[in-house]
Amino acid sequence: AALAACGGGSGSSSSTATNSASTGAKKYSIALVQGVKGDPFYVTMAKGAQAEASKQGVTLTVDGPAQFNATLQTPIVDALIAKKVDAIIIAACDKQAMIAPLQRANSAGIKIISVDTFIGNGDYTSGPVTFPLSYIGSDNEQGGKIAGEALIKAIGGKGKIYIQNVQPGISTTDQREQGCKEAITATSGAVSLAGVDYNEDSAAKSAQQTTAVLQRVRDLSGIFGTNLFSAEGAAQAVKQGQIKIANFDAPEQAITDLRNGVVDLVIAQLPGQMGQIAVQYAVDALNGNTSNIKKHVPTGYVVIDKSNVDSPQSQAAIYKS
Ligand code: T6T
């Protein structure tokens, strides 16, 4: 299986932010809006963001909807507009539905930074959506391709692959599905897609759907779980056996599943780095240091399998819950 640390923007910034404690200047208030509360991916992101906020002497608040749902995320954004925060760092729950609320925030003078997911098509240079200052996140099409190619290799280059996904409209998981499908297409028919199901970010639903597919498709060879809960549910359904699983995201459970042979590959994103760079960018923007800000920062992956799971790099990439 593939093992590599892929890509990775440094997000380096040479600016020294105004430290309000020492200068008496207004202490910036920055809000991180997660895609969903309690997900170890976003918990790890918040830790990276908080570390940077403390370093920069700014206030960070962290909030997120109880479900991965734009209807629940919108009032959080509206409350932040009413509170007049200085900057919003957000993992938008839907690439279309979150444009309008974030446009309202931008019109109110709040700096907007996308983290993990994007809105519109993610190209903030030429649009259609250009007001967010930056998009900091993984290259998710590449991530889906890494998963697909590793699965194809693991199943010997032929067979059937099933994709467990979250819900259409989330930029990250849409692109992972696309990347995996591209890898399947490249086999010219040797590998086929057994189907895609959407679990609404529920591991329980993913497990149910996977169980049904296992009964229907007796010769299934591999499963791609496109996010933490999708993969967790698929692994619960499969237990141990013939079927190979590529697990996007790296909570402790995924590492346990890898060690036990239930999962074959764990693709760790770098959420702590996303949070850290996003806060640094927010402070840069508020201080007018816009030349430090790149419109797009791909943060890279650590791809973990049995052979490298104990390396310091893999261990450091496991999410903190
Ligand atoms: O995979 C991450 C994140 O990148 C995605 O946008 C939503 O799901 C996760 O938070 C994992 O549960």
Side-chain angles (χ1 to χ4, degrees), residues 275-311:
Q276 180 259 316
I277 297 168
V279 169
Q280 186 181 65
Y281 271 20
V283 173
D284 280 341
L286 290 163
N287 284 336
N289 294 329
T290 45
S291 59
N292 292 323
I293 297 174
K294 291 187 219 130
K295 280 276 184 185
H296 182 200
V297 182
T299 42
Y301 297 106
V302 178
V303 181
I304 308 173
D305 67 8
K306 265 195 164 163
S307 73
N308 71 347
V309 63
D310 289 313
S311 75

Side-chain angles (χ1 to χ4, degrees), residues 35-36 39-42 45 68 91-92 115-117 138 140 166 170-173 176 201 226-230 248-249 269 274 319:
V36 64
D39 175 336
F41 171 85
Y42 292 116
M45 179 186 286
F68 207 99
V115 77
D116 176 42
T117 58
S138 304
N140 288 290
V166 185
I170 305 172
S171 72
T172 47
T173 47
R176 289 171 203 163
D201 216 28
T226 67
N227 87 332
L228 196 152
F229 302 105
S230 311
F248 218 92
D249 291 308
Q269 303 187 76
M274 291 178 202
Y319 301 172

